[in-house]
mmCIF file of all heavy atoms in Angstrom:
data_model
loop_
_atom_site.group_PDB
_atom_site.id
_atom_site.type_symbol
_atom_site.label_atom_id
_atom_site.label_comp_id
_atom_site.label_asym_id
_atom_site.label_seq_id
_atom_site.Cartn_x
_atom_site.Cartn_y
_atom_site.Cartn_z
ATOM 1 N N ARG U 474 76.811 -116.326 -46.916
ATOM 2 C CA ARG U 474 77.358 -114.978 -47.309
ATOM 3 C C ARG U 474 78.899 -115.043 -47.013
ATOM 4 O O ARG U 474 79.307 -115.695 -46.103
ATOM 5 C CB ARG U 474 76.806 -113.887 -46.469
ATOM 6 C CG ARG U 474 75.316 -113.554 -46.779
ATOM 7 C CD ARG U 474 75.217 -112.819 -48.126
ATOM 8 N NE ARG U 474 73.792 -112.503 -48.418
ATOM 9 C CZ ARG U 474 73.004 -113.362 -49.087
ATOM 10 N NH1 ARG U 474 73.385 -114.591 -49.436
ATOM 11 N NH2 ARG U 474 71.752 -112.994 -49.268
ATOM 12 N N PRO U 475 79.646 -114.401 -47.887
ATOM 13 C CA PRO U 475 81.111 -114.431 -47.638
ATOM 14 C C PRO U 475 81.551 -113.536 -46.457
ATOM 15 O O PRO U 475 80.762 -112.687 -46.040
ATOM 16 C CB PRO U 475 81.682 -113.853 -48.954
ATOM 17 C CG PRO U 475 80.578 -112.920 -49.439
ATOM 18 C CD PRO U 475 79.266 -113.490 -49.044
ATOM 19 N N PRO U 538 76.292 -110.126 -59.253
ATOM 20 C CA PRO U 538 75.288 -109.543 -58.444
ATOM 21 C C PRO U 538 75.714 -108.504 -57.421
ATOM 22 O O PRO U 538 74.899 -107.849 -56.835
ATOM 23 C CB PRO U 538 74.600 -110.742 -57.746
ATOM 24 C CG PRO U 538 75.734 -111.693 -57.619
ATOM 25 C CD PRO U 538 76.663 -111.466 -58.800
ATOM 26 N N CYS U 539 77.041 -108.321 -57.210
ATOM 27 C CA CYS U 539 77.504 -107.468 -56.150
ATOM 28 C C CYS U 539 77.138 -106.034 -56.387
ATOM 29 O O CYS U 539 76.725 -105.281 -55.481
ATOM 30 C CB CYS U 539 78.968 -107.622 -55.971
ATOM 31 S SG CYS U 539 79.513 -109.234 -55.469
ATOM 32 N N CYS U 542 73.938 -104.921 -55.148
ATOM 33 C CA CYS U 542 73.516 -105.613 -53.953
ATOM 34 C C CYS U 542 73.589 -104.639 -52.729
ATOM 35 O O CYS U 542 74.543 -103.858 -52.634
ATOM 36 C CB CYS U 542 74.426 -106.791 -53.693
ATOM 37 S SG CYS U 542 74.112 -107.631 -52.192
ATOM 38 N N GLU U 544 74.154 -105.403 -49.781
ATOM 39 C CA GLU U 544 75.023 -105.952 -48.677
ATOM 40 C C GLU U 544 76.486 -105.662 -48.974
ATOM 41 O O GLU U 544 77.331 -106.123 -48.217
ATOM 42 C CB GLU U 544 74.763 -107.399 -48.472
ATOM 43 C CG GLU U 544 73.427 -107.710 -47.908
ATOM 44 C CD GLU U 544 73.148 -109.276 -47.875
ATOM 45 O OE1 GLU U 544 73.795 -109.881 -47.014
ATOM 46 O OE2 GLU U 544 72.298 -109.740 -48.648
ATOM 47 N N LYS U 545 76.740 -104.968 -50.089
ATOM 48 C CA LYS U 545 78.171 -104.893 -50.525
ATOM 49 C C LYS U 545 79.029 -104.161 -49.532
ATOM 50 O O LYS U 545 80.205 -104.365 -49.454
ATOM 51 C CB LYS U 545 78.286 -104.310 -51.905
ATOM 52 C CG LYS U 545 77.817 -102.856 -52.038
ATOM 53 C CD LYS U 545 77.954 -102.464 -53.524
ATOM 54 C CE LYS U 545 77.361 -101.102 -53.698
ATOM 55 N NZ LYS U 545 76.670 -100.938 -55.010
ATOM 56 N N ASP U 548 80.240 -106.879 -46.877
ATOM 57 C CA ASP U 548 81.231 -107.949 -47.169
ATOM 58 C C ASP U 548 82.180 -107.634 -48.323
ATOM 59 O O ASP U 548 82.991 -108.418 -48.653
ATOM 60 C CB ASP U 548 80.568 -109.314 -47.338
ATOM 61 C CG ASP U 548 79.553 -109.284 -48.494
ATOM 62 O OD1 ASP U 548 79.824 -108.595 -49.529
ATOM 63 O OD2 ASP U 548 78.560 -110.035 -48.421
ATOM 64 N N GLY U 550 81.830 -107.919 -51.286
ATOM 65 C CA GLY U 550 81.774 -108.938 -52.327
ATOM 66 C C GLY U 550 82.661 -110.129 -51.951
ATOM 67 O O GLY U 550 82.847 -111.052 -52.786
ATOM 68 N N ALA U 566 81.714 -112.170 -57.764
ATOM 69 C CA ALA U 566 81.310 -112.334 -56.309
ATOM 70 C C ALA U 566 82.039 -113.551 -55.769
ATOM 71 O O ALA U 566 82.272 -114.504 -56.557
ATOM 72 C CB ALA U 566 79.831 -112.497 -56.229
ATOM 73 N N CYS U 570 78.942 -116.782 -51.584
ATOM 74 C CA CYS U 570 77.642 -116.078 -51.547
ATOM 75 C C CYS U 570 76.572 -116.850 -52.313
ATOM 76 O O CYS U 570 76.786 -117.225 -53.462
ATOM 77 C CB CYS U 570 77.814 -114.711 -52.099
ATOM 78 S SG CYS U 570 76.258 -113.777 -51.958
ATOM 79 N N LYS U 572 74.085 -115.719 -53.596
ATOM 80 C CA LYS U 572 73.617 -115.011 -54.779
ATOM 81 C C LYS U 572 74.537 -115.140 -55.957
ATOM 82 O O LYS U 572 74.226 -114.677 -56.991
ATOM 83 C CB LYS U 572 73.522 -113.502 -54.407
ATOM 84 C CG LYS U 572 72.556 -113.182 -53.287
ATOM 85 C CD LYS U 572 72.483 -111.631 -53.170
ATOM 86 C CE LYS U 572 71.680 -111.190 -51.982
ATOM 87 N NZ LYS U 572 71.595 -109.747 -51.883
HETATM 88 S S1 SF4 K 121 76.096 -110.414 -54.003
HETATM 89 FE FE1 SF4 K 121 78.163 -109.716 -53.588
HETATM 90 S S2 SF4 K 121 77.905 -107.932 -52.237
HETATM 91 FE FE2 SF4 K 121 75.936 -109.055 -52.213
HETATM 92 S S3 SF4 K 121 76.099 -110.414 -50.409
HETATM 93 FE FE3 SF4 K 121 76.874 -111.557 -52.189
HETATM 94 S S4 SF4 K 121 79.041 -111.318 -52.209
HETATM 95 FE FE4 SF4 K 121 78.210 -109.730 -50.882
#
Side-chain angles (χ1 to χ4, degrees):
Chain U
R474 288 289 180 273
C539 297
C542 178
E544 292 175 69
K545 64 182 175 217
D548 61 33
C570 183
K572 297 186 188 178

